[in-house]
DNA sequence: CTGTATCCACGGTGATACTG
DNA sequence: CAGTATCACCGTGGATACAG
């Protein structure tokens, strides 16, 4: 591209554009913004969380239903990921003290509010995401 | 609800509301959508990638500048994360065969296109992200 | 049916030291 | 200045078995 192979624009190296990419005044590399983003990243980072959310987008599901819908997920992981999703407020857990026991998981309002953003992320991935250079193969 | 506590009605088990949360016809839990989302998640998942991106939002930076801006990141990790970011097309690497050697890293257009989405993610985090229940403390 | 307990492999991350 | 090499730790996730 137009990237010069050499030649520093130089002198005023401190003349940062301050591109207004962040909206808070104090946003440094370790600012609150980045922190918050890491929280979100963490919330959906996990080998099966997106799959679980995707399932739950069709409506509430029980533990066994999720197991059947996601055959590759062990009970161990399903339980763990579900607990983490609940801890981050993305999934609600409704247990019924019956025989046999029944538990239903569903997306919270926060999760539903996140869905449109996820779809934008998806749109971005379709525009810019090349399968090359990424190792997402399990 | 009308969902019986036991005895799955095997026949009508496919009567999902189909909440129209996804936009592709074939989106199952392991659909292309979820796959693409995992690619994005992977692209920004890494202990320092968001911090690096945040730094680069102020303009191109050299390796040493990043080191100074992110004192907690070892050269090892900085190099690794930078390589991964470059591999996923979020960061460009411009090397100059000079003495002393100089390398500049910058956000690609794809990364800039991702920024607004990141900001929405951020807005979501502010609305729904509680500091409790999350373990992002390093 | 709904999970938990235990063991174990792997990879991401950090510390330190070294090279072009 | 800009990395790489090597070692070690630890959390994530998988397999299997067990419990309320």
């Amino acid at each position: 591209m137009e990237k010069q192979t050499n030649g520093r624009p130089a002198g005023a190296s401190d003349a940062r554009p301050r591109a207004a990419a962040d909206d808070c005044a104090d946003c440094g590399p370790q600012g609150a913004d980045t922190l918050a983003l890491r929280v979100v990243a963490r919330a959906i980072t996990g080998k099966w969380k997106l799959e679980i959310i995707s399932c739950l987008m069709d409506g509430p599901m029980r533990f066994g239903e999720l197991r059947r819908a996601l055959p590759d997920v062990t009970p161990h992981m399903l339980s763990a990921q579900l607990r983490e999703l609940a801890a981050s407020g993305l999934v609600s857990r409704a247990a019924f003290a019956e025989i046999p026991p029944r538990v239903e998981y569903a997306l919270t309002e926060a999760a539903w509010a996140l869905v449109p953003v996820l779809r934008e992320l998806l749109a971005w991935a379709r525009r810019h995401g090349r399968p090359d250079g990424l190792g997402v193969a399990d």
Side-chain angles (χ1 to χ4, degrees), chain A residues 46-115:
Chain A
K47 207 165 186 182
W48 304 107
K49 288 189 189 161
L50 288 171
E51 277 81 353
I52 292 173
I53 290 173
S54 179
C55 278
L56 261 21
M57 279 162 107
D58 289 342
M61 288 182 96
R62 301 172 53 174
F63 192 87
E65 287 182 293
L66 284 167
R67 274 189 80 174
R68 258 169 273 123
L70 305 167
D72 293 340
V73 190
T74 62
H76 177 96
M77 280 314 298
L78 187 52
S79 175
Q81 305 270 292
L82 243 13
R83 261 185 281 113
E84 288 180 26
L85 284 169
S88 47
L90 287 175
V91 162
S92 64
R93 183 181 187 275
F96 306 86
E98 305 172 347
I99 304 290
R102 187 172 102 251
V103 181
E104 278 202 348
Y105 296 91
L107 296 187
T108 61
E109 289 203 14
W112 284 111
L114 185 58
V115 169

Side-chain angles (χ1 to χ4, degrees), chain A residues 107-129:
Chain A
L107 296 187
T108 61
E109 289 203 14
W112 284 111
L114 185 58
V115 169
V117 188
L118 256 24
R119 298 186 75 203
E120 289 197 46
L121 229 31
L122 187 55
W124 178 90
R126 287 199 172 123
R127 264 179 284 122
H128 303 279

Side-chain angles (χ1 to χ4, degrees), chain A residues 16 18 22 24-38:
Chain A
R16 296 272 186 63
R18 209 49 219 133
D22 275 338
C24 78
D26 63 320
C27 18
Q30 269 90 9
D33 287 10
T34 308
L35 213 297
L37 278 179
R38 290 182 59 177

